[in-house]
Amino acid sequence: MIRTALLALTLIATATPAIAQGEGGRRWLAGDHHVHSIYSARYRADPAHPDRPPEPEIGGDSAHTILQNAQMARRFGLDWMVSTDHGGPGHSALNHARAWPDLVAARAAVPDLLLFYGWEFDVPGGEHATLIMPHDPRERDTLRDIEAQFGKREVWPNDPARNTKDRMLQALRYMAKLPAPPLLIANHPSRTATGRGQWGLHAPAEYRTWYQTAPHVAIGMEGAPGHQAARPGAGRDAAHGSRGLYGGSPTLGGFDQMVAVLGGAWDALLGQGVRWTITATSDSHGHWSAGGADFWPGEYAKTWVYASPDHADILDGLRAGRVFVATGGLVEGLDVEVARTRNPARAAAIGGTLAVRKGEDLRVTIRFRPARSANAGGTVPRVDHIDLILGGASAAGDDRNPTARLVKRFTARDWQHEGDMLVVRHRLRAPGPGYLRVRGTNTQQAEPEADVPGEDPWQDLWFYSNPVYLGG
């Protein structure tokens, strides 16, 4: 079961030192791109005046202020955070007039947190996605313009022409042409799915189209969605009670089926040349200690980006896929490096590409820093095993990649201590163009198992790297 509210609110996760500081001061920085505040309003029509637009109820979908979210993000060890409120009739003006000044004030009050201005895009023809604005003098007005033009719930009365998949492609083209394009990350991709491989509002092919339309805007999806503290009988989400508030197709180890299924949708996209980065978020609306379904930003899930501590390089790291994700503080750092055995000086890390020839001997090095202190659940998690996964090309349009396979499973008898790091080394023959990725868990599950309502998320922890790519 989830630990008591007192424990979760008194344990403080400190910011984690980097494994190694790279060029330009880059290091692993933890963040969350999906966090709601009081400006995620509810909209209620006035029965006495049905001809009037519904009024926004401030705090209707979250009682947390932007400042409170920022303070809790730092308390639980985050270096960066995106404030993302979802829309409704006239929300673009509400965001512009009221959320923006609160965000500016939070930046001043919590200066050691890199706070981004964003929005949970009510996706035309679909569900939701995070929009992250570059930190520049135009961010306030640019976000208002995007939401006003493309938010499917922005106008009243409802306009069906705003709620089509083609309209979403128009939005992506518009954003791609901006002087400083934002980033877009699909949220809870399979929440509307009806079963394993039976997609709901979003199928993998749609994400491929997003990427092909605007590859520097649409860059990935939530691998581990928020609402991980959901449990039966709690709060307004009592009818769901399952991790992520997923219904027809549950999460697996807290991760969306598109990611958790080996050889599934994520592997298919990667095999089709779609550099699709996965993230992990809180989707914080209401804390579980107050009857909600959520953890605070950073309390349970973290998205780690290899970047220097500034807004622009964090966005660059997300775009480039220099990202790994972890739940429950299972690991506090992760490096994956692939090098030619004959020329080890030429190597590629997470998000990078190594040019290889088929059959060439490669050396893979995995370094991770295990948890050194108790997480917010009150335990010090231990990695049970790590999987090295290799994938090659997959056919265009397929939702699966049959080339994706487990190369090697490593346990404690395979890793060595190097300072405060644990290191695994492995040699393999390059299959030709493809990718390598890594996952690990504190469980003994050979593959992530379907989550059941009421399970303790702190007992089922995973981390995933984004790929290292192998080029021809």
Side-chain angles (χ1 to χ4, degrees):
M1 62 185 293
I2 298 174
R3 306 298 193 267
T4 65
L6 178 62
L7 179 62
L9 294 177
T10 55
L11 282 172
I12 299 176
T14 57
T16 305
I19 290 180
Q21 187 161 300
E23 183 179 352
R26 283 178 174 169
R27 58 184 185 269
W28 287 112
L29 301 174
D32 186 339
H33 69 73
H34 191 175
V35 182
H36 292 266
S37 80
I38 58 174
Y39 299 111
S40 288
R42 287 182 184 168
Y43 291 80
R44 302 184 187 278
D46 183 352
H49 301 281
D51 56 327
R52 296 179 183 175
E55 291 292 325
E57 177 189 337
I58 304 301
D61 210 32
S62 175
H64 304 154
T65 65
I66 296 175
L67 176 59
Q68 185 180 21
N69 286 332
Q71 291 169 332
M72 298 308 289
R74 281 303 297 152
R75 183 172 186 172
F76 288 106
L78 295 192
D79 304 290
W80 61 273
M81 191 195 88
V82 188
S83 186
T84 55
D85 290 305
H86 48 51
H91 185 266
S92 62
L94 173 69
N95 222 22
H96 188 270
R98 298 187 59 178
W100 169 258
D102 283 10
L103 182 127
V104 172
R107 281 175 172 167
V110 191
D112 53 349
L113 179 75
L114 294 165
L115 183 57
F116 287 88
Y117 188 41
W119 170 47
E120 185 169 32
F121 198 154
D122 296 297
V123 171
E127 203 183 2
H128 296 140
T130 286
L131 195 66
I132 310 175
M133 303 306 298
H135 182 30
D136 67 23
R138 300 178 296 273
E139 58 188 316
R140 182 189 192 185
D141 292 340
T142 301
L143 180 55
R144 178 190 58 186
D145 294 346
I146 294 170
E147 183 172 8
Q149 290 187 65
F150 299 106
K152 70 179 180 183
R153 297 195 298 145
E154 173 70 16
V155 299
W156 188 91
N158 177 56
D159 180 5
R162 294 177 69 98
N163 190 20
T164 67
K165 294 188 182 299
D166 183 64
R167 183 69 175 168
M168 180 59 182
L169 298 183
Q170 293 176 37
L172 289 170
R173 295 186 191 103
Y174 174 85
M175 291 185 284
K177 293 178 180 178
L178 291 172
L183 291 189
L184 184 131
I185 301 171
N187 292 338
H188 34 74
S190 297
R191 192 168 70 175
T192 56
T194 57
R196 181 76 64 86
Q198 300 172 12
W199 312 115
L201 289 175
H202 298 286
E206 181 176 6
Y207 292 146
R208 182 172 58 252
T209 301
W210 286 11
Y211 176 83
Q212 292 169 340
T213 301
H216 296 295
V217 175
I219 58 99
M221 63 184 175
E222 284 180 344
H227 304 313
Q228 294 280 340
R231 58 206 187 279
R236 67 180 180 86
D237 300 309
H240 295 277
S242 56
R243 294 169 72 175
L245 301 181
Y246 276 46
S249 183
T251 53
L252 300 95
F255 280 71
D256 190 284
Q257 63 157 314
M258 285 197 183
V259 171
V261 175
L262 179 60
W266 187 34
D267 284 312
L269 290 169
L270 296 174
Q272 293 158 19
V274 178
R275 296 203 171 197
W276 201 238
T277 297
I278 65 164
T279 61
T281 73
S282 64
D283 198 352
S284 176
H285 290 71
H287 194 257
W288 63 265
S289 63
D294 309 321
F295 293 106
W296 288 112
E299 183 181 0
Y300 183 73
K302 290 181 172 70
T303 296
W304 295 85
V305 181
Y306 192 65
S308 57
D310 66 74
H311 291 83
D313 206 44
I314 288 171
L315 292 188
D316 183 77
L318 287 166
R319 275 195 173 96
R322 301 192 303 268
V323 176
F324 79 88
V325 300
T327 57
L330 182 56
V331 295
E332 299 176 345
L334 175 67
D335 282 340
V336 181
E337 182 183 86
V338 184
R340 294 173 171 176
T341 301
R342 291 185 178 181
N343 187 7
R346 299 188 64 181
I350 294 172
T353 302
L354 181 68
V356 299
R357 295 187 298 272
K358 186 175 181 178
E360 190 173 10
D361 193 46
L362 302 179
R363 183 189 67 195
V364 181
T365 304
I366 303 167
R367 295 182 176 89
F368 67 99
R369 178 179 288 124
R372 295 168 292 175
S373 58
N375 58 24
T379 62
V380 181
R382 294 286 180 262
V383 176
D384 179 82
H385 63 268
I386 294 174
D387 293 334
L388 176 62
I389 294 167
L390 171 68
S394 57
D398 281 0
D399 291 349
R400 297 190 60 81
N401 185 347
T403 72
R405 61 182 178 87
L406 176 66
V407 173
K408 178 73 174 178
R409 174 159 293 154
F410 306 100
T411 63
R413 64 177 175 268
D414 300 304
W415 48 68
Q416 301 173 334
H417 289 264
E418 293 185 3
D420 63 351
M421 305 295 296
L422 297 176
V423 182
V424 173
R425 293 180 174 87
H426 183 71
R427 292 175 66 170
L428 57 80
R429 295 286 182 181
Y435 59 90
L436 288 160
R437 61 182 182 88
V438 168
R439 70 181 180 191
T441 180
N442 69 329
T443 74
Q444 295 183 351
Q445 298 170 17
E447 291 295 325
E449 297 176 1
D451 298 322
V452 298
E455 72 171 87
D456 182 357
W458 296 102
Q459 302 304 312
D460 188 14
L461 308 178
W462 291 78
F463 68 85
Y464 285 70
S465 80
N466 278 279
V468 179
Y469 298 93
L470 306 176

